[in-house]
Amino acid sequence: MFDLNNIIRPNIKALKPYSCARDEFKGEASVFLDANENPYNAPFNRYPDPLQWAVKGRISVIKGVAKESIFLGNGSDEPIDLMYRAFCEPRVDNVVAINPTYGMYEVCADINDIEYRKVELDENFQFSADKLLAKADEHTKVMWLCSPNNPTGNLLASGEIEKLLKAFNGIVVVDEAYIDFAETVSFAKKLAQFPNLVVLQTFSKAWGSAAIRLGMAFASTAIISVLHTSKYPYNVNILTQKQALELLGNANQVSDWVNTLKAERSNLVNELQKLAIVTHIYPTDANFILTKVKDACATYNHLVSRGIIVRNRHSVTLCGNCLRITVGTPEENAILLSELKKL
Ligand SMILES: *Cc1c(COP(=O)(O)O)cnc(C)c1O
């Protein structure tokens, strides 16, 4: 049985959270003399809403997740780091993750001095719940999944994710940074079923807003409360909150971008297939394509010399001679293809 009380670090459980002026007084007022703010330079003189309720209200409608089940952070990087700070005791606890996957899970484990255990994906870039469970012990607090996965581009089998959620007594994180480019439903729809599920999404990819640094975590209200208790009080600034509100009022624009990028993705796959240097193109559910070429480093260097930057993944597990190519505008993709055709 999953029991959140067994997962939270003792110091976090005992924590008396910082109480800011904006927490203490809730309600309508016209004269605010409680937070030592400068009365001039509105609206930037006031501390922002520490729990970002206006932004969460909009996200709640779009994602079909209750406001109280949403955490917002300074990019997904913040909830990733908080999973360690809130749940993993340095030098005692450990986490288990698929390999290869997004690099930040391991970097944050290292920073927090938490053992990071890797389990290699199979040749189709799928994982086995049993293999992850076999790596775990009584100190395993979190398992990291990423679907669609980075850098491989594929969705993980949802049956296997559910099997892990049922069998593992710790937290399972499903990072869905690329979910908008996939033909599937989000695991955020299954929060009621799985008290140990944390789903990550972000404004950095489909929402076209990597610069504003806004990441989302969806989970049970109990898990979200722990993240709220552990975060910096004003972790999402007012410029980001305002820009997010504007964007959330313009969701049609976002789906237009996504549709264009999906069409460009198919086109790019078709064109890459015709090239002699391309030896394999992996199936993708994301806004990038992982492709194996004859000599990844030579191709990468040629592209760099022409001012075109892709990601060389040659040194990554299971990704020998692979390049990860982000789908760009039709013009950018045409420039890439014309350079690749010269090789
Ligand atoms: C790009 C990416 C993110 C986004 O991180 P932010 O901090 O929100 O910009 C998260 N997870 C994965 C797997 C990614 O590839």
Side-chain angles (χ1 to χ4, degrees):
M1 266 292 285
F2 172 74
D3 182 353
L4 186 59
N5 262 311
N6 299 334
I7 305 293
I8 308 171
R9 288 173 66 194
N11 59 316
I12 300 295
K13 223 184 290 187
L15 188 69
K16 200 170 153 286
Y18 173 72
S19 173
C20 55
R22 285 291 168 275
D23 281 333
E24 228 157 78
F25 175 79
K26 290 198 175 74
E28 293 299 313
S30 55
V31 181
F32 285 102
L33 304 175
D34 58 343
N36 299 342
E37 297 151 339
N38 185 326
Y40 306 110
N41 199 34
F44 304 113
N45 57 331
R46 300 291 175 196
Y47 281 101
D49 176 2
L51 293 174
Q52 312 99 15
W53 288 118
V55 181
K56 284 176 184 171
R58 293 271 180 93
I59 293 173
S60 169
V61 173
I62 290 174
K63 301 288 179 184
V65 174
K67 288 199 290 283
E68 296 73 20
S69 275
I70 303 173
F71 169 90
L72 297 180
N74 186 338
S76 305
D77 295 341
E78 184 177 359
I80 290 169
D81 186 53
L82 278 175
M83 295 306 294
Y84 293 106
R85 293 177 31 179
F87 302 117
C88 303
E89 197 61 29
R91 301 181 203 204
V92 175
D93 290 332
N94 65 72
V95 302
V96 174
I98 56 170
N99 184 40
T101 192
Y102 185 48
M104 274 307 282
Y105 316 140
E106 186 169 12
V107 171
C108 287
D110 290 346
I111 290 170
N112 287 285
D113 212 355
I114 307 297
E115 185 193 348
Y116 184 86
R117 301 181 177 183
K118 302 178 189 185
V119 180
E120 203 166 296
L121 296 171
D122 68 19
E123 65 280 6
N124 297 315
F125 295 142
Q126 289 296 333
F127 80 105
S128 141
D130 288 336
K131 279 193 190 163
L132 262 60
L133 291 163
K135 268 276 183 196
D137 61 20
E138 73 273 22
H139 292 296
T140 305
K141 295 295 186 72
V142 177
M143 295 216 187
W144 292 100
L145 302 177
C146 182
S147 178
N149 189 29
N150 179 3
T152 61
N154 61 298
L155 280 166
L156 299 178
S158 60
E160 209 61 18
I161 298 177
E162 293 200 12
K163 185 174 167 186
L164 189 66
L165 281 160
K166 283 177 195 148
F168 180 51
N169 287 333
I171 291 175
V172 176
V173 180
V174 182
D175 185 343
E176 295 185 337
Y178 300 99
I179 192 73
D180 305 85
F181 303 102
E183 310 301 326
T184 189
V185 288
S186 166
F187 263 79
K189 296 281 179 204
K190 299 183 179 169
L191 290 177
Q193 236 175 300
F194 301 111
N196 57 338
L197 169 64
V198 173
V199 176
L200 300 182
Q201 293 189 16
T202 179
F203 279 73
S204 297
K205 308 289 157 62
W207 289 82
S209 301
I212 73 171
R213 309 306 303 134
L214 189 60
M216 301 167 263
F218 306 122
S220 73
T221 53
I223 292 177
I224 294 299
S225 303
V226 176
L227 298 181
H228 282 160
T229 306
S230 320
K231 76 181 183 72
Y232 288 170
Y234 304 106
N235 60 326
V236 179
N237 71 69
I238 195 172
L239 298 170
T240 295
Q241 293 192 41
K242 276 183 181 297
Q243 185 60 32
L245 280 174
E246 191 161 313
L247 198 64
L248 286 158
N250 215 347
N252 287 339
Q253 166 78 85
V254 176
S255 50
D256 287 350
W257 288 334
V258 168
N259 289 335
T260 302
L261 291 169
K262 281 167 140 174
E264 276 302 303
R265 175 178 71 189
S266 319
N267 183 49
L268 204 46
V269 168
N270 287 338
E271 293 301 316
L272 288 169
Q273 256 157 2
K274 297 177 189 163
L275 302 177
I277 56 156
V278 169
T279 57
H280 191 69
I281 300 171
Y282 294 93
T284 175
D285 302 293
N287 67 335
F288 59 84
I289 297 163
L290 187 74
T291 178
K292 201 183 267 296
V293 295
K294 285 184 178 148
D295 184 342
C297 296
T299 306
Y300 174 82
N301 289 332
H302 171 78
L303 290 174
V304 169
S305 76
R306 301 304 163 108
I308 302 165
I309 315 300
V310 298
R311 199 87 200 268
N312 185 358
R313 300 284 73 186
H314 176 58
S315 59
V316 171
T317 309
L318 300 176
C319 298
N321 277 319
C322 285
L323 299 175
R324 195 194 69 190
I325 302 173
T326 307
V327 179
T329 62
E331 296 73 23
E332 290 171 326
N333 302 332
I335 293 169
L336 169 81
L337 287 166
S338 78
E339 279 307 327
L340 288 175
K341 277 175 194 160
K342 293 180 188 164
L343 289 171

